[in-house]
Amino acid sequence: MAQTKIDLRIKNLKEHLKKENDILCEVVDKFRELDKIAYKLGFLHPDKQSYAIQVSWWPMISVLGTYSAGKSTFINHYLNQPKLQRTGTHAIDNKFSIICYGDNKNVSTLPAIAIDADPRFPFYQISQELTNVADDDAEQHLDTYLQLKICPSEKLQGKILIDSPGFDADNQRNSTLRITQHIVDLSDLVLVFFDARHPEPGAMRDTLEHLVAKTIDRSDSNKFLYILNQMDSTAKDDNPEEVVAAWTRALAQTGLVTGRFYHIFNPDECVELPENVKERIEKKSQTDMEDIHARMEQIGIERSYRVIGMLEDTAKNLEQNIIPQIKGLLQRWKQRVIWTEISLDFIVICLIGLWFATTDNTVAGTWQQLIGLGTISLGTIGALVFIVGLWLHLKIGDMVANNILKKLQTEITDEQTREGLTRAFNKNTGTWNKLFIWFVDNPIGWSRKTQQHINEVLGSVNNYVQKLNDKFTNPSGSNSIDK
Ligand SMILES: Nc1nc2c(ncn2[C@@H]2O[C@H](COP(=O)(O)OP(=O)(O)OP(=O)(O)O)[C@@H](O)[C@H]2O)c(=O)[nH]1
Ligand SMILES: [Mg+2]
């Protein structure tokens, strides 16, 4: 069988997963087993859809913030790759860098187009997505906005980091603002950096409005961490507590009163600290840095459990929602067709009865007359009745099916489920099932064996959770924990 785009994408996905987490590689196969069931049911389109690609396999952590706040320096330090992202005192990078794990020795930079072909992203065809959100000419200039960096740091296993250009609400190009928004929406964790050297946070009200005020009312607001960076520089000239207090007030004015506000500096870049504050500042920065790193680590581990949870949810959804819905539609169709036909038969019998009752004709007499016409034989009458009956039967089957489909479009709000149910229902209302509608019971592609198959997939979930526990609790004492 020819390989579909989906097959290629899955193959690619497994190759990447193999390098990072072999358990998840097996989980892909389980998703594919569910795919096969859904294809047979007609619920998923075999060339275009797969449960496996609906999963966000690599969680995203994005790093946003003001110009020169130290975003890139923070990423380089976290990954222990001093040369990964360019850093400097004035804005040098105006691209979003999407940073992924790769097992080559060196860091490699690939153009934006490479992002499309990489199945690690939680969205299919990112360039298309970004073209939609960015300027009209963004498609040609996608390379000016995005680049993909492949980096061998083990810390990147199981996650994607995004470094963004410095944020300045006044000078920001519309497209960059929209891309930032899109990335924020897709991220599992967002680190928002501020530069403690700017003593007047009030002067950047618009920027704070964008980076803070718009984030606090979101349902996923706990994914945002606010970080005041370069605390070492500020400690040299000002009282650091006052700087923090000024920032806390500025943030409170934008509405941020809860949630943690971290104060850090980068130990690789640290200027000499005054003795009276050195210990205090260093300790605070260290614990805050550890907390931030722990949140980042957690994202990688959480995703493995989340993916397995999704496998369980998908199998249960198929068994407990989709199948009953398809069955329900089929029953509705079958009953309505049968009742329409019974009603129609009843009406015809009544009409014939009425005709006999209101005319002088008798049943036997009419019968004799029909046969007596000589041109029509008994066989021909039988065949005619059969053909008209069959035609009517198929027509009624079609009409009722169309009626049910029309209702389905308003009954089911979720687009993907609606499309899937429509496709599965169409598959079940073909000529064969229309002809033998009385025997229609189980949806096509659903049998006791399929049920067993789903049970097996559900049974494997506990097994995977156990394997992950073993991996992350690391009972062997080995240091290399895959994420
Ligand atoms: N003293 C000190 N300097 C820092 C710290 N973090 C970063 N820097 C310096 O600040 C400058 C800006 O750092 P970057 O990491 O390039 O900042 P950025 O936020 O990525 O900047 P853009 O991408 O241009 O917005 C560089 O010269 C860094 O060496 C820190 O914690 N303390
Ligand atoms: Mg930078």
Side-chain angles (χ1 to χ4, degrees):
M1 219 170 68
Q3 270 201 333
T4 63
K5 261 190 187 165
I6 297 278
D7 292 330
L8 282 174
R9 207 168 144 74
I10 303 283
K11 196 170 146 229
N12 216 335
L13 172 76
K14 282 179 76 178
E15 265 164 30
H16 283 293
L17 275 174
K18 220 179 276 168
K19 293 180 203 158
E20 300 190 28
N21 191 323
D22 48 346
I23 299 171
L24 290 188
C25 208
E26 287 175 37
V27 176
V28 176
D29 293 333
K30 291 289 164 193
F31 272 111
R32 290 303 272 165
E33 287 177 26
L34 295 181
D35 277 350
K36 274 187 201 142
I37 295 175
Y39 294 152
K40 279 191 188 147
L41 287 166
F43 186 71
L44 290 188
H45 193 300
D47 298 336
K48 294 186 193 148
Q49 292 173 300
S50 159
Y51 285 124
I53 60 163
Q54 289 170 7
V55 176
S56 137
W57 290 93
W58 274 266
M60 284 185 8
I61 302 174
S62 52
V63 182
L64 309 176
T66 51
Y67 277 115
S68 292
K71 302 176 291 297
S72 306
T73 313
F74 172 85
I75 290 178
N76 290 353
H77 172 73
Y78 173 68
L79 299 176
N80 197 16
Q81 295 278 332
K83 292 201 181 124
L84 175 72
Q85 289 295 87
R86 284 201 298 162
T87 60
T89 42
H90 48 263
I92 26 166
D93 225 347
N94 56 359
K95 282 185 193 179
F96 290 85
S97 299
I98 301 183
I99 311 167
C100 299
Y101 175 76
D103 55 3
N104 286 348
K105 259 199 211 124
N106 299 319
V107 171
S108 49
T109 305
L110 302 169
I113 191 78
I115 295 163
D116 257 0
D118 198 312
R120 287 179 284 185
F121 301 101
F123 28 73
Y124 186 46
Q125 302 251 314
I126 181 178
S127 66
Q128 189 55 48
E129 293 267 347
L130 293 184
T131 310
N132 293 340
V133 299
D135 291 344
D136 291 341
D137 62 347
E139 194 169 12
Q140 292 96 303
H141 305 299
L142 207 64
D143 278 338
T144 53
Y145 296 106
L146 293 173
Q147 61 186 352
L148 178 63
K149 287 205 175 174
I150 311 290
C151 162
S153 166
E154 285 190 0
K155 288 245 177 84
L156 266 177
Q157 289 188 343
K159 56 175 100 68
I160 290 166
L161 273 182
I162 300 192
D163 189 12
S164 52
F167 190 94
D168 177 351
D170 295 334
N171 296 321
Q172 207 67 278
R173 276 187 300 179
N174 200 23
S175 48
T176 315
L177 272 182
R178 292 171 75 179
I179 293 176
T180 306
Q181 194 52 46
H182 185 67
I183 285 176
V184 163
D185 287 344
L186 291 169
S187 293
D188 300 87
L189 185 67
V190 183
L191 311 183
V192 185
F193 272 69
F194 299 109
D195 187 344
R197 289 172 305 171
H198 289 281
E200 262 307 329
M204 31 192 305
R205 199 150 3 106
D206 284 352
T207 299
L208 286 180
E209 176 72 22
H210 250 98
L211 291 180
V212 183
K214 283 194 173 165
T215 60
I216 42 190
D217 289 332
R218 296 171 61 114
S219 57
D220 56 356
S221 60
N222 67 345
K223 74 181 185 184
F224 293 85
L225 305 186
Y226 305 93
I227 300 163
L228 190 57
N229 192 32
Q230 310 216 17
M231 283 303 292
D232 58 318
S233 308
T234 183
K236 218 170 55 163
D237 310 316
D238 302 290
N239 176 351
E241 274 79 14
E242 271 174 25
V243 173
V244 170
W247 275 96
T248 313
R249 271 198 307 277
L251 292 183
Q253 271 167 17
T254 63
L256 183 76
V257 278
T258 53
R260 283 213 52 191
F261 185 35
Y262 299 87
H263 325 139
I264 59 166
F265 65 85
N266 197 303
D268 303 338
E269 305 289 332
C270 179
V271 294
E272 186 139 0
L273 287 165
E275 278 310 314
N276 57 335
V277 291
K278 191 174 185 325
E279 199 186 324
R280 220 165 58 229
I281 297 239
E282 275 179 353
K283 199 159 168 231
K284 174 74 180 144
S285 174
Q286 205 183 346
T287 45
D288 278 10
M289 192 76 108
E290 279 167 11
D291 280 0
I292 299 166
H293 286 180
R295 270 297 286 271
M296 294 169 81
E297 289 304 303
Q298 200 55 33
I299 291 282
I301 297 175
E302 272 169 14
R303 72 100 189 231
S304 303
Y305 289 96
R306 180 173 45 79
V307 165
I308 289 172
M310 277 192 74
L311 176 69
E312 186 174 21
D313 289 348
T314 309
K316 280 190 179 158
N317 184 43
L318 201 54
E319 184 188 28
Q320 292 168 12
N321 285 328
I322 306 302
I323 294 298
Q325 288 195 74
I326 302 175
K327 274 188 179 171
L329 287 172
L330 279 184
Q331 282 310 317
R332 217 153 103 186
W333 179 59
K334 179 176 166 179
Q335 278 167 8
R336 283 197 199 168
V337 169
I338 291 175
W339 275 109
T340 309
E341 288 183 346
I342 290 176
S343 314
L344 212 65
D345 289 348
F346 182 71
I347 291 171
V348 170
I349 290 168
C350 285
L351 283 176
I352 293 173
L354 200 70
W355 186 73
F356 280 120
T358 53
T359 58
D360 293 338
N361 296 311
T362 59
V363 179
T366 311
W367 183 248
Q368 280 306 320
Q369 260 179 359
L370 276 174
I371 305 292
L373 287 176
T375 45
I376 306 175
S377 70
L378 198 56
T380 319
I381 293 176
L384 267 175
V385 170
F386 179 74
I387 289 169
V388 171
L390 197 65
W391 178 81
L392 257 178
H393 175 68
L394 294 177
K395 212 66 204 147
I396 290 169
D398 268 344
M399 270 163 46
V400 174
N402 286 337
N403 214 297
I404 290 175
L405 279 181
K406 221 184 258 172
K407 285 216 177 102
L408 190 73
Q409 307 313 309
T410 50
E411 276 171 10
I412 310 279
T413 46
D414 177 60
E415 195 183 331
Q416 208 192 335
T417 314
R418 191 172 57 232
E419 270 179 18
L421 287 177
T422 304
R423 206 175 13 248
F425 183 65
N426 278 333
K427 185 169 185 169
N428 278 283
T429 50
T431 312
W432 195 256
N433 264 5
K434 259 186 280 187
L435 280 177
F436 297 99
I437 196 160
W438 302 274
F439 308 105
V440 168
D441 197 14
N442 267 333
I444 294 172
W446 185 250
S447 63
R448 200 171 293 175
K449 223 171 119 193
T450 343
Q451 168 82 60
Q452 256 171 17
H453 209 142
I454 289 198
N455 289 344
E456 276 164 29
V457 172
L458 282 171
S460 68
V461 167
N462 286 343
N463 189 18
Y464 289 129
V465 170
Q466 191 58 54
K467 280 191 188 174
L468 282 182
N469 289 349
D470 289 348
K471 197 167 194 119
F472 293 129
T473 50
N474 202 14
S476 63
S478 123
N479 284 329
S480 72
I481 302 176
D482 289 350
K483 308 268 154 40

mmCIF file of all heavy atoms in Angstrom, residues 365-384:
data_model
loop_
_atom_site.group_PDB
_atom_site.id
_atom_site.type_symbol
_atom_site.label_atom_id
_atom_site.label_comp_id
_atom_site.label_asym_id
_atom_site.label_seq_id
_atom_site.Cartn_x
_atom_site.Cartn_y
_atom_site.Cartn_z
ATOM 1 N N GLY A 365 -62.809 -9.262 -9.320
ATOM 2 C CA GLY A 365 -63.134 -8.711 -10.633
ATOM 3 C C GLY A 365 -61.972 -7.892 -11.184
ATOM 4 O O GLY A 365 -61.579 -8.054 -12.349
ATOM 5 N N THR A 366 -61.407 -7.035 -10.347
ATOM 6 C CA THR A 366 -60.291 -6.179 -10.790
ATOM 7 C C THR A 366 -59.105 -7.030 -11.189
ATOM 8 O O THR A 366 -58.429 -6.773 -12.182
ATOM 9 C CB THR A 366 -59.879 -5.227 -9.649
ATOM 10 O OG1 THR A 366 -61.051 -4.614 -9.139
ATOM 11 C CG2 THR A 366 -58.907 -4.168 -10.127
ATOM 12 N N TRP A 367 -58.880 -8.035 -10.378
ATOM 13 C CA TRP A 367 -57.762 -8.950 -10.651
ATOM 14 C C TRP A 367 -57.943 -9.601 -12.017
ATOM 15 O O TRP A 367 -57.039 -9.621 -12.834
ATOM 16 C CB TRP A 367 -57.678 -9.968 -9.518
ATOM 17 C CG TRP A 367 -56.526 -10.916 -9.635
ATOM 18 C CD1 TRP A 367 -56.568 -12.247 -9.873
ATOM 19 C CD2 TRP A 367 -55.156 -10.569 -9.504
ATOM 20 N NE1 TRP A 367 -55.327 -12.767 -9.909
ATOM 21 C CE2 TRP A 367 -54.403 -11.737 -9.681
ATOM 22 C CE3 TRP A 367 -54.472 -9.383 -9.270
ATOM 23 C CZ2 TRP A 367 -53.027 -11.771 -9.636
ATOM 24 C CZ3 TRP A 367 -53.101 -9.438 -9.222
ATOM 25 C CH2 TRP A 367 -52.390 -10.612 -9.406
ATOM 26 N N GLN A 368 -59.122 -10.120 -12.267
ATOM 27 C CA GLN A 368 -59.425 -10.760 -13.536
ATOM 28 C C GLN A 368 -59.212 -9.788 -14.691
ATOM 29 O O GLN A 368 -58.649 -10.138 -15.722
ATOM 30 C CB GLN A 368 -60.901 -11.232 -13.548
ATOM 31 C CG GLN A 368 -61.140 -12.544 -12.803
ATOM 32 C CD GLN A 368 -60.227 -13.654 -13.318
ATOM 33 O OE1 GLN A 368 -59.988 -13.771 -14.529
ATOM 34 N NE2 GLN A 368 -59.696 -14.475 -12.406
ATOM 35 N N GLN A 369 -59.649 -8.557 -14.447
ATOM 36 C CA GLN A 369 -59.525 -7.543 -15.492
ATOM 37 C C GLN A 369 -58.057 -7.294 -15.846
ATOM 38 O O GLN A 369 -57.694 -7.238 -17.011
ATOM 39 C CB GLN A 369 -60.116 -6.219 -14.989
ATOM 40 C CG GLN A 369 -61.511 -5.972 -15.518
ATOM 41 C CD GLN A 369 -62.042 -4.654 -14.970
ATOM 42 O OE1 GLN A 369 -61.389 -3.967 -14.215
ATOM 43 N NE2 GLN A 369 -63.250 -4.325 -15.358
ATOM 44 N N LEU A 370 -57.224 -7.174 -14.790
ATOM 45 C CA LEU A 370 -55.796 -6.918 -15.020
ATOM 46 C C LEU A 370 -55.151 -8.034 -15.809
ATOM 47 O O LEU A 370 -54.450 -7.807 -16.796
ATOM 48 C CB LEU A 370 -55.065 -6.771 -13.669
ATOM 49 C CG LEU A 370 -55.112 -5.386 -13.023
ATOM 50 C CD1 LEU A 370 -54.486 -5.433 -11.641
ATOM 51 C CD2 LEU A 370 -54.386 -4.366 -13.883
ATOM 52 N N ILE A 371 -55.445 -9.284 -15.359
ATOM 53 C CA ILE A 371 -54.864 -10.444 -16.050
ATOM 54 C C ILE A 371 -55.436 -10.514 -17.462
ATOM 55 O O ILE A 371 -54.735 -10.784 -18.435
ATOM 56 C CB ILE A 371 -55.173 -11.757 -15.285
ATOM 57 C CG1 ILE A 371 -54.689 -11.639 -13.833
ATOM 58 C CG2 ILE A 371 -54.549 -12.972 -15.966
ATOM 59 C CD1 ILE A 371 -53.206 -11.577 -13.642
ATOM 60 N N GLY A 372 -56.750 -10.223 -17.511
ATOM 61 C CA GLY A 372 -57.470 -10.342 -18.766
ATOM 62 C C GLY A 372 -56.989 -9.364 -19.821
ATOM 63 O O GLY A 372 -57.290 -9.538 -21.000
ATOM 64 N N LEU A 373 -56.287 -8.339 -19.427
ATOM 65 C CA LEU A 373 -55.822 -7.383 -20.434
ATOM 66 C C LEU A 373 -54.915 -8.063 -21.454
ATOM 67 O O LEU A 373 -54.728 -7.581 -22.558
ATOM 68 C CB LEU A 373 -55.032 -6.241 -19.767
ATOM 69 C CG LEU A 373 -55.882 -5.230 -18.983
ATOM 70 C CD1 LEU A 373 -55.001 -4.205 -18.293
ATOM 71 C CD2 LEU A 373 -56.873 -4.524 -19.893
ATOM 72 N N GLY A 374 -54.386 -9.193 -21.023
ATOM 73 C CA GLY A 374 -53.633 -10.015 -21.961
ATOM 74 C C GLY A 374 -52.204 -9.552 -22.161
ATOM 75 O O GLY A 374 -51.299 -10.354 -22.294
ATOM 76 N N THR A 375 -52.014 -8.232 -22.139
ATOM 77 C CA THR A 375 -50.657 -7.728 -22.392
ATOM 78 C C THR A 375 -49.759 -7.884 -21.174
ATOM 79 O O THR A 375 -48.553 -7.943 -21.274
ATOM 80 C CB THR A 375 -50.694 -6.244 -22.797
ATOM 81 O OG1 THR A 375 -51.585 -5.583 -21.917
ATOM 82 C CG2 THR A 375 -51.100 -6.066 -24.242
ATOM 83 N N ILE A 376 -50.364 -7.896 -19.982
ATOM 84 C CA ILE A 376 -49.538 -7.994 -18.774
ATOM 85 C C ILE A 376 -49.687 -9.372 -18.159
ATOM 86 O O ILE A 376 -50.809 -9.795 -17.854
ATOM 87 C CB ILE A 376 -49.959 -6.944 -17.727
ATOM 88 C CG1 ILE A 376 -49.962 -5.544 -18.336
ATOM 89 C CG2 ILE A 376 -49.026 -6.974 -16.519
ATOM 90 C CD1 ILE A 376 -50.470 -4.471 -17.414
ATOM 91 N N SER A 377 -48.563 -10.029 -17.990
ATOM 92 C CA SER A 377 -48.639 -11.347 -17.356
ATOM 93 C C SER A 377 -48.482 -11.175 -15.845
ATOM 94 O O SER A 377 -48.060 -10.110 -15.374
ATOM 95 C CB SER A 377 -47.519 -12.238 -17.891
ATOM 96 O OG SER A 377 -46.303 -11.737 -17.384
ATOM 97 N N LEU A 378 -48.811 -12.192 -15.139
ATOM 98 C CA LEU A 378 -48.698 -12.179 -13.674
ATOM 99 C C LEU A 378 -47.255 -11.865 -13.254
ATOM 100 O O LEU A 378 -46.999 -11.061 -12.357
ATOM 101 C CB LEU A 378 -49.108 -13.548 -13.140
ATOM 102 C CG LEU A 378 -49.467 -13.600 -11.664
ATOM 103 C CD1 LEU A 378 -50.574 -12.623 -11.323
ATOM 104 C CD2 LEU A 378 -49.843 -15.023 -11.278
ATOM 105 N N GLY A 379 -46.313 -12.499 -14.004
ATOM 106 C CA GLY A 379 -44.876 -12.310 -13.703
ATOM 107 C C GLY A 379 -44.474 -10.848 -13.864
ATOM 108 O O GLY A 379 -43.740 -10.293 -13.041
ATOM 109 N N THR A 380 -45.003 -10.235 -14.969
ATOM 110 C CA THR A 380 -44.630 -8.831 -15.218
ATOM 111 C C THR A 380 -45.147 -7.936 -14.097
ATOM 112 O O THR A 380 -44.444 -7.042 -13.619
ATOM 113 C CB THR A 380 -45.225 -8.345 -16.551
ATOM 114 O OG1 THR A 380 -45.097 -9.387 -17.510
ATOM 115 C CG2 THR A 380 -44.543 -7.081 -17.025
ATOM 116 N N ILE A 381 -46.401 -8.213 -13.680
ATOM 117 C CA ILE A 381 -46.960 -7.399 -12.579
ATOM 118 C C ILE A 381 -46.074 -7.536 -11.343
ATOM 119 O O ILE A 381 -45.688 -6.558 -10.712
ATOM 120 C CB ILE A 381 -48.407 -7.822 -12.247
ATOM 121 C CG1 ILE A 381 -49.313 -7.465 -13.424
ATOM 122 C CG2 ILE A 381 -48.901 -7.129 -10.973
ATOM 123 C CD1 ILE A 381 -50.743 -7.911 -13.272
ATOM 124 N N GLY A 382 -45.730 -8.798 -11.060
ATOM 125 C CA GLY A 382 -44.875 -9.061 -9.879
ATOM 126 C C GLY A 382 -43.560 -8.311 -9.987
ATOM 127 O O GLY A 382 -43.129 -7.640 -9.055
ATOM 128 N N ALA A 383 -42.933 -8.392 -11.190
ATOM 129 C CA ALA A 383 -41.631 -7.745 -11.377
ATOM 130 C C ALA A 383 -41.760 -6.235 -11.230
ATOM 131 O O ALA A 383 -40.917 -5.576 -10.606
ATOM 132 C CB ALA A 383 -41.065 -8.102 -12.751
ATOM 133 N N LEU A 384 -42.859 -5.679 -11.816
ATOM 134 C CA LEU A 384 -43.073 -4.228 -11.721
ATOM 135 C C LEU A 384 -43.204 -3.764 -10.273
ATOM 136 O O LEU A 384 -42.573 -2.802 -9.841
ATOM 137 C CB LEU A 384 -44.347 -3.832 -12.489
ATOM 138 C CG LEU A 384 -44.107 -3.410 -13.939
ATOM 139 C CD1 LEU A 384 -45.440 -3.150 -14.628
ATOM 140 C CD2 LEU A 384 -43.209 -2.183 -14.017
#
